Amino acid sequence: EQWRVSILISKMDNKEISKPKFQRKKKWDILPKKENNPNEKSYIMFLFEVKNSVHAITFGQNMDQNKITFTNIDGNNRLNAIKHFIDKPFEIFPEYLDELISFINTLSNLEENDKNFLINIFNTISYSNIIEMKFHKYFESINKHDFYVKKIKNKRDEFEAIIDIIQNKLKINEKDRFDQFVSINVNLFEGYNTDELCKIFEDINKFNSKLTENELLACRLYNIDNFKIKNNIIEQSIINEIKNYYHEKCNNEALICYKYETNNKINAYDFIVGFQ
């Protein structure tokens, strides 16, 4: 299938897409650090240029209590990059704010904390909010109407001229919204069990990107749980490490991730992680 970015983001926001426990932790940096290293900024620039993901993002499709849900099998880094851009575009393209920040810093009527407040608004604003921004209405929507009237209303025209330039940079060919124009190619595996999805994950990554030994074990040992740890103290220590491992693996992930809960059955991979 093909999904617009807006459809993909809607499914992520509605928690319809999860990351299975055998999936790898995301690895991409936000900004390029080394030549040819995958990173979020380069991928978003690629989508701006090509308007299509080209390589498909792969999901297992499930029916859960009459609701269709999806398990991400391949493309976790790309999903994180897209979601990050839609949530906070200027963490990926900070240079787009250079002119605006310079202008804010020239406003002699603003105190330093006022300037920092304004800069922080733009640093953390979402794609939709910056694209749809009407300057005075935006400050009303965040309950800062008094701040707007007293401190920056007289500079509205200058602000709006700079914001208009920024909005054009964030559009496809300066006219179309990124989230409504860019298509994401999607492979859906319907009716597959977890064992089969593990095998698909392994096969995909044999060719696209080499799995580490641990990453390979995560899918190979997923359903092996017919063992018992006889020493209760050691078992509890291992379980604590397993909790920490999955908690850390969830950090800054865009998708719903597996988190070990008390009394969850541990598989052979979990045991290896906890023991190590």
Side-chain angles (χ1 to χ4, degrees), residues 208-225:
N208 281 355
S209 55
K210 187 178 178 182
L211 292 171
T212 65
E213 290 177 357
N214 265 11
E215 290 163 352
L216 187 60
L217 286 171
C219 50
R220 286 280 180 91
L221 304 180
Y222 186 85
N223 281 326
I224 298 176
D225 56 15

Side-chain angles (χ1 to χ4, degrees), residues 24-165:
R24 296 177 288 179
K25 184 179 179 180
K26 70 171 186 173
K27 294 184 175 181
W28 286 5
D29 293 317
I30 297 173
L31 304 177
K33 290 186 177 179
K34 294 181 181 178
E35 191 175 354
N36 297 325
N37 266 24
N39 59 83
E40 294 185 1
K41 183 170 188 171
S42 296
Y43 182 63
I44 298 301
M45 289 173 67
F46 167 81
L47 293 179
F48 265 93
E49 181 182 353
V50 181
K51 290 90 174 171
N52 185 284
S53 65
V54 182
H55 294 298
I57 294 176
T58 304
F59 299 103
Q61 181 172 303
N62 325 292
M63 182 63 73
D64 183 17
Q65 298 179 346
N66 296 321
K67 179 183 177 182
I68 295 176
T69 58
F70 304 91
T71 302
N72 178 235
I73 306 303
D74 185 59
N76 181 57
N77 284 299
R78 287 172 283 163
L79 291 174
N80 272 284
I82 293 167
K83 186 70 165 69
H84 191 182
F85 175 68
I86 295 299
D87 285 351
K88 295 180 180 178
F90 300 116
E91 287 187 0
I92 295 179
F93 296 98
E95 67 275 14
Y96 288 3
L97 291 181
D98 286 351
E99 185 180 354
L100 182 61
I101 291 172
S102 295
F103 175 67
I104 291 170
N105 284 326
T106 66
L107 300 178
S108 57
N109 65 309
L110 294 185
E111 296 178 4
E112 202 62 31
N113 61 328
D114 293 329
K115 293 177 182 179
N116 290 335
F117 166 72
L118 268 178
I119 291 169
N120 186 61
I121 281 178
F122 289 100
N123 278 330
T124 59
I125 199 169
S126 71
Y127 182 84
S128 285
N129 281 339
I130 188 65
I131 287 294
E132 297 169 0
M133 179 176 271
K134 303 298 182 189
F135 198 60
H136 66 291
K137 288 185 178 180
Y138 178 76
F139 285 90
E140 287 179 7
S141 73
I142 62 171
N143 297 318
K144 291 293 180 181
H145 180 70
D146 286 348
F147 175 86
Y148 167 76
V149 170
K150 293 175 182 177
K151 301 198 174 185
I152 54 176
K153 183 178 180 181
N154 63 327
K155 297 290 184 180
R156 187 184 74 177
D157 290 347
E158 290 96 321
F159 269 108
E160 289 187 338
I162 298 171
I163 289 168
D164 189 53
I165 293 170

